[in-house]
Amino acid sequence: MNQIVQTEEVKKKSSFIEFLKKECVLVIAVTLAILSSFISIPKMSYIDFKVLILLFNLMVVVAAFKELKVLDSIAIRLLKRCNTYTSISLALVFITFISSMIVTNDVALITFVPLSIVIAKKANINVLKIVIFQTLAANLGSSFTPMGNPQNLFIYSFYNLNPIDFFKITLPIVILAVLFLVLLVCKDKKINLSLDLEDVKIDNKRDVYLFGGLFLIILLSVFHVIDCKVTFLITIIMILLLNKKLFSQVDYSLLITFIGFFIFVGNISTMDLVKNFMEGILGSPQSTFLSSILSSQVISNVPATMLLSGFTNHFKELLLGVNIGGMGTLIASLASVISYKIYTSEFKNENYMKYFTFYNILGLVIFVPLAYMFMVYSI
């Protein structure tokens, strides 16, 4: 009996440790929210419900596309036209790059990194660099649009930016990213390959069209054409009518993480000592830019965005910094952890971190000074 009890306790402890590893950012956000609430009374006004609604809407429609295998179908059709290592690499990297602008960087990696591994096994090629380049592509491509990643959506809503101003800031990153990724892929040796890929059949075309229409409505709400509350109501109704299982596929931990950071930042923003210190650090555009890059390396770019936004009006520098800051360490962008886990669970290759760090540091070395010059000369 005692042995059974001990075994159960070990299992509970193990599952708790696994939860902490998987949801460390969530745990930190909630802990900070609770601790700071003992110092300052939290207010409902601290929570940006517009951001939460937009995130929920986007996560639902992306989950629908994933279940309907829309992205897989598009990818296979494109890859069947490729016959060299370079063309396959370019296709996989830029499918990830473009899709991340629409369905977020983490979903792009969850979808296309496993596909890359399957293709690599069929063609007998080393997929390590392709996965690393896909990770760079997802983090850089998602920087272009408000819905590409959570930090963009937050900045877009928090500072009430209009689409033109937003794209003026992010377009240079994307142009530089295209050149950077093409150079990385094309420098490798050219090998002729032959792929035998089966088409991905989409059985429910009606739902594809319906969720495609819903996605367009959600985009209109992102760009302030339709009220996000109306879109939220439409989204709920469509899920109830078409696929209730999609409710279970929403990343609620991300939503709770946002709420935790909203409360934490709101609480500490009322403390004069903290407020004066942070505003002093973030007093100039240059310091905001550099602080956002450095803090992203340590706490990841989404928490860094939410923390720094409460103390600076330099939204342009913050937007540039947290997106470029997604390169660097593995945790600089939590999306990078996704591809790392997928790859290492399949190959357990110790070289992954070495190459990942090299190419990400290379990215920072190239992007930081160029973005800094763009920032200075476009003010």
Side-chain angles (χ1 to χ4, degrees):
M1 179 65 77
N2 288 336
Q3 190 173 1
I4 295 173
V5 172
Q6 286 177 351
T7 303
E8 288 297 320
E9 287 178 353
V10 169
K11 285 182 179 178
K12 287 179 181 179
K13 187 177 180 180
S14 177
S15 61
F16 179 69
I17 291 171
E18 285 299 314
F19 173 79
L20 289 178
K21 286 181 180 178
K22 184 181 178 183
E23 302 292 355
C24 61
V25 178
L26 167 64
V27 173
I28 291 169
V30 172
T31 302
L32 290 173
I34 293 170
L35 292 176
S36 62
S37 295
F38 286 108
I39 303 169
S40 177
I41 299 173
K43 298 178 183 177
M44 190 67 73
S45 58
Y46 294 159
I47 301 174
D48 192 332
F49 287 99
K50 182 180 177 182
V51 171
L52 297 177
I53 288 172
L54 289 173
L55 271 174
F56 176 85
N57 290 344
L58 286 166
M59 284 191 284
V60 164
V61 76
V62 166
F65 285 151
K66 188 178 177 184
E67 189 169 289
L68 293 165
K69 298 183 179 179
V70 174
L71 297 177
D72 300 71
S73 176
I74 295 170
I76 294 297
R77 287 182 187 179
L78 180 60
L79 286 165
K80 289 182 83 170
R81 301 181 181 184
C82 301
N83 54 16
T84 66
Y85 174 80
T86 302
S87 62
I88 289 169
S89 298
L90 283 170
L92 288 168
V93 168
F94 280 96
I95 288 170
T96 310
F97 183 76
I98 293 169
S99 64
S100 69
M101 300 177 185
I102 304 166
V103 297
T104 73
N105 51 357
D106 54 348
V107 171
L109 290 171
I110 289 169
T111 303
F112 296 118
V113 169
L115 179 63
S116 298
I117 291 172
V118 169
I119 289 170
K121 287 182 176 180
K122 284 179 178 288
N124 195 27
I125 56 176
N126 189 342
V127 76
L128 186 148
K129 285 187 179 179
I130 293 176
V131 171
I132 291 170
F133 297 161
Q134 281 182 297
T135 307
L136 284 166
N139 288 329
L140 291 169
S142 65
S143 67
F144 183 52
T145 62
M147 61 280 184
N149 53 53
Q151 69 267 20
N152 278 12
L153 192 60
F154 175 78
I155 291 172
Y156 182 78
S157 176
F158 184 80
Y159 292 102
N160 196 28
L161 303 180
N162 67 58
I164 294 175
D165 288 339
F166 185 93
F167 289 123
K168 279 182 180 178
I169 299 168
T170 59
L171 182 60
I173 299 179
V174 173
I175 293 172
L176 183 58
V178 170
L179 297 173
F180 179 57
L181 292 168
V182 168
L183 287 173
L184 288 180
V185 173
C186 290
K187 74 176 181 61
D188 278 340
K189 57 186 177 182
K190 294 176 174 59
I191 306 171
N192 290 327
L193 298 170
S194 178
L195 289 179
D196 182 21
L197 299 173
E198 294 183 10
D199 288 326
V200 175
K201 188 178 179 182
I202 297 176
D203 298 319
N204 195 340
K205 292 185 178 180
R206 185 205 67 174
D207 280 9
V208 172
Y209 295 132
L210 288 173
F211 280 109
L214 176 62
F215 183 60
L216 290 176
I217 293 171
I218 291 170
L219 287 184
L220 290 175
S221 71
V222 170
F223 294 117
H224 312 309
V225 177
I226 299 176
D227 191 303
C228 66
K229 295 174 186 175
V230 174
T231 309
F232 178 64
L233 183 62
I234 294 171
T235 302
I236 295 296
I237 292 170
M238 283 196 67
I239 299 171
L240 291 172
L241 292 175
L242 297 176
N243 189 350
K244 294 175 186 176
K245 290 189 295 183
L246 292 175
F247 280 120
S248 65
Q249 297 181 37
V250 172
D251 187 357
Y252 293 105
S253 65
L254 178 62
L255 298 178
I256 297 170
T257 300
F258 263 68
I259 293 170
F261 277 116
F262 281 139
I263 294 171
F264 170 65
V265 173
N267 286 339
I268 66 171
S269 297
T270 63
M271 304 173 196
D272 291 335
L273 183 65
V274 175
K275 185 177 180 181
N276 293 336
F277 175 74
M278 292 297 293
E279 287 179 349
I281 293 176
L282 305 171
S284 69
Q286 292 81 4
S287 63
T288 298
F289 176 67
L290 294 174
S291 295
S292 59
I293 293 172
L294 293 173
S295 57
S296 294
Q297 303 308 305
V298 181
I299 63 173
S300 181
N301 51 9
V302 175
T305 302
M306 301 185 71
L307 177 61
L308 301 182
S309 62
F311 305 98
T312 181
N313 291 320
H314 302 298
F315 61 85
K316 175 182 175 181
E317 292 72 25
L318 181 63
L319 181 58
L320 285 171
V322 293
N323 278 297
I324 292 171
M327 294 183 286
T329 63
L330 186 67
I331 64 166
S333 169
L334 292 180
S336 301
V337 180
I338 292 170
S339 49
Y340 169 74
K341 286 182 176 178
I342 294 172
Y343 182 88
T344 53
S345 66
E346 192 72 32
F347 296 104
K348 303 188 186 313
N349 193 315
E350 294 178 358
N351 289 325
Y352 187 93
M353 283 304 300
K354 180 176 76 174
Y355 283 103
F356 175 88
T357 303
F358 172 77
Y359 285 111
N360 273 265
I361 296 299
L362 177 64
L364 283 178
V365 169
I366 293 171
F367 277 74
V368 170
L370 291 175
Y372 187 86
M373 285 191 290
F374 162 71
M375 182 185 75
V376 170
Y377 291 110
S378 63
I379 291 176

